[in-house]
Amino acid sequence: MELQPSISLKRLNTFGIDVSGNVATVNEIDDIGRIADATGQGAAFILGGGSNLLFTKNPEGWIWKNELHGIEIADESDEFVWVKAGAGENWHRFVLHCIERNWGGIENLSLIPGLVGASPMQNIGAYGVEIKDVFQSLEAIDLTNGVLRTFDLQECAFGYRESVFKHDLKGQFMIASVTYRLRKKKHELKLDYGDIRKELETQGISQPGIADVSRAVIAIRSSKLPDPNVLGNAGSFFKNPVVSEAIEQKIREKYPELAAYPAGEGLKKIAAGWLIEKAGWKGFRRGDAGVHSKQALVLVNYGSATGAEIWQLSEDIVRNVEDTFGVLLEREVNIL
Ligand code: FAD
Ligand code: EPU
């Protein structure tokens, strides 16, 4: 455990927002009791890699920074391996660790920033795969009594960028480890989303394996998503809105080129990036707060934007998109 009162959080959030706060590092589960004793307080919130957060002010209380490490095989069969990873493991390094061992299922989730422990929080997803597809269980510490509890797939109530930890159990649990069920053979490659096939073709690969898919996803992501080490951001700032087919049709009458996909019976998921671009915001900049020029769903910090400035920009976009298309955008990023 380490206690760092009043330090800059600029390097602890990928938006690069310069706020300060008290940070307690959790290196082992027993640290939780020690930190509570030493600070006289519980966790104000749990921090992972800070890649899905926007700080709009200096956070109060103690931030508990998750650094619970370790990767182990929990179980194995002829076909599957159950891998248990500590919540503080870097997600992308974990993906590469699995690919090196030919364990398939998370290759489409390559290069997503952040830590293993946050992967169930919003059921991370990309290129046709979500964490729920390979999720077995997780262990989380109940912050109200310090008891370790196991959650199975059903209990996590995963949805599109959703889980029980963002709703009914918000702030109550610290995820300590996650176990994924991965395939040792007969990999089920998901190649139909976006430009994966095109990218594999460009690379001259006709019989792809999981490592090829990972490299293709990395190439596609790198071509449009800003690297947080270069340009502050937290990935998609908004969710893609799910609307009724009737609403989607109404917009399509005016804009036949609308980017939208089936999302269950009678529902369509509209590309929020398309709405924001069409409303004229792509590449917009106000001070150091902006809308990424290659992906309008991503808000960026050119250097010294405050969280309040980024938030205000997001608010202006929400209002304008609602006025233009009658669709209300919901923020994906956690606002603090
Ligand atoms: P943080 O930002 O630190 O935390 C996020 C939330 O989870 C907070 O509410 C925090 O309190 C909570 N939390 C974190 N760890 C724990 C824990 N151990 N226990 C309890 N609560 C916890 N996301 C996608 O789904 N798909 C993408 O394709 C994608 N692309 C991205 C691209 C870029 C360039 C960036 C910057 C972000 C992207 N994201 C994407 C968003 C982000 O990477 C994910 O949401 C990621 O899982 C966040 O992990 P983190 O460790 O940084 O979480
Ligand atoms: N689009 C535009 N203009 C833009 C951006 C996108 O017209 O500026 C259109 C594209 O042309 C395409 C469609 O929108 O037709 C979808 O774009 P893209 O494939 O880039 O994906 P996205 O819907 O914008 C989602 C996730 C990403 C994830 C990608 C790939 C959400 C909120 N975002 O983005 O996740 O990586 O798909 O699966 O669901 C994140 O959550 O932080 C994130 C980056």
Side-chain angles (χ1 to χ4, degrees):
M1 126 181 151
E2 191 185 2
L3 298 180
Q4 296 172 288
S6 198
I7 61 164
S8 167
L9 304 179
K10 190 174 163 74
R11 289 156 69 90
L12 299 182
N13 71 101
T14 59
F15 250 125
I17 303 297
D18 197 4
V19 288
S20 64
N22 307 312
V23 177
T25 304
V26 182
N27 299 105
E28 48 183 292
I29 287 181
D30 288 348
D31 282 349
I32 284 175
R34 294 187 196 115
I35 292 169
D37 287 346
T39 62
Q41 292 171 25
F45 74 93
I46 310 293
L47 179 66
S51 64
N52 206 21
L53 302 173
L54 179 69
F55 287 115
T56 55
K57 53 182 183 297
N58 290 333
E60 285 172 16
W62 281 85
I63 297 167
W64 291 15
K65 185 165 179 291
N66 189 308
E67 292 203 8
L68 296 168
H69 289 284
I71 299 176
E72 62 183 71
I73 293 180
D75 203 355
E76 214 167 345
S77 70
D78 192 34
E79 227 167 308
F80 295 102
V81 58
W82 284 263
V83 192
K84 179 175 173 178
E89 292 292 333
N90 174 279
W91 172 258
H92 180 60
R93 278 204 290 275
F94 173 65
V95 172
L96 296 181
H97 173 97
C98 295
I99 289 171
E100 272 163 29
R101 287 156 182 78
N102 200 32
W103 299 338
I106 50 177
E107 54 280 358
N108 293 48
L109 303 177
S110 296
L111 210 62
I112 296 182
L115 307 184
V116 161
S119 65
M121 286 300 295
Q122 66 158 9
N123 177 28
I124 56 167
Y127 297 92
V129 174
E130 288 180 330
I131 206 61
K132 70 168 173 46
D133 304 333
V134 292
F135 179 89
Q136 180 66 34
S137 62
L138 65 78
E139 286 179 330
I141 301 144
D142 188 333
L143 296 168
T144 61
N145 57 18
V147 173
L148 197 64
R149 176 175 155 188
T150 302
F151 288 80
D152 65 18
L153 180 68
Q154 220 181 351
E155 288 167 314
C156 289
F158 290 126
Y160 165 58
R161 298 294 191 271
E162 292 294 355
S163 77
V164 72
F165 303 103
K166 281 181 81 174
H167 295 283
D168 294 4
L169 302 182
K170 192 174 163 76
Q172 195 184 326
F173 283 88
M174 172 166 169
I175 295 167
S177 70
V178 186
T179 302
Y180 308 93
R181 190 186 75 154
L182 303 177
R183 276 193 174 272
K184 287 160 67 176
K185 54 185 177 188
K186 296 189 197 148
H187 294 135
E188 294 172 345
L189 301 184
K190 302 261 168 58
L191 307 177
D192 292 328
Y193 187 99
D195 288 341
I196 296 187
R197 280 186 199 280
K198 202 168 124 197
E199 181 59 36
L200 288 166
E201 225 170 86
T202 307
Q203 295 185 13
I205 294 159
S206 53
Q207 302 268 307
I210 57 173
D212 300 309
V213 175
S214 169
R215 277 192 290 270
V217 167
I218 290 171
I220 299 166
R221 294 180 67 95
S222 306
S223 72
K224 53 181 161 186
L225 289 169
D227 175 353
N229 293 317
V230 179
L231 187 59
N233 76 94
S236 301
F237 200 89
F238 304 99
K239 288 189 196 178
N240 286 325
V242 176
V243 301
S244 69
E245 277 177 351
I247 291 179
E248 189 255 354
Q249 252 333 98
K250 210 168 151 228
I251 303 172
R252 192 177 292 288
E253 275 165 24
K254 200 165 169 202
Y255 304 97
E257 74 281 20
L258 173 68
Y261 319 91
E265 209 174 312
L267 299 172
K268 284 283 174 79
K269 191 187 269 185
I270 299 186
W274 185 91
L275 295 172
I276 297 168
E277 176 174 353
K278 204 72 190 170
W281 290 95
K282 197 169 186 171
F284 177 85
R285 179 170 177 172
R286 184 195 292 149
D288 270 354
V291 180
H292 189 46
S293 56
K294 294 185 190 159
Q295 229 297 2
L297 200 44
V298 179
L299 302 192
V300 295
N301 174 10
Y302 285 99
S304 56
T306 63
E309 286 166 344
I310 304 265
W311 188 87
Q312 188 55 54
L313 173 59
S314 76
E315 189 63 10
D316 294 347
I317 292 171
V318 170
R319 294 293 148 243
N320 184 239
V321 165
E322 192 180 15
D323 288 349
T324 312
F325 300 104
V327 174
L328 186 64
L329 294 179
E330 191 188 331
R331 291 172 181 84
E332 190 214 84
V333 167
N334 298 281
I335 311 292
L336 288 163

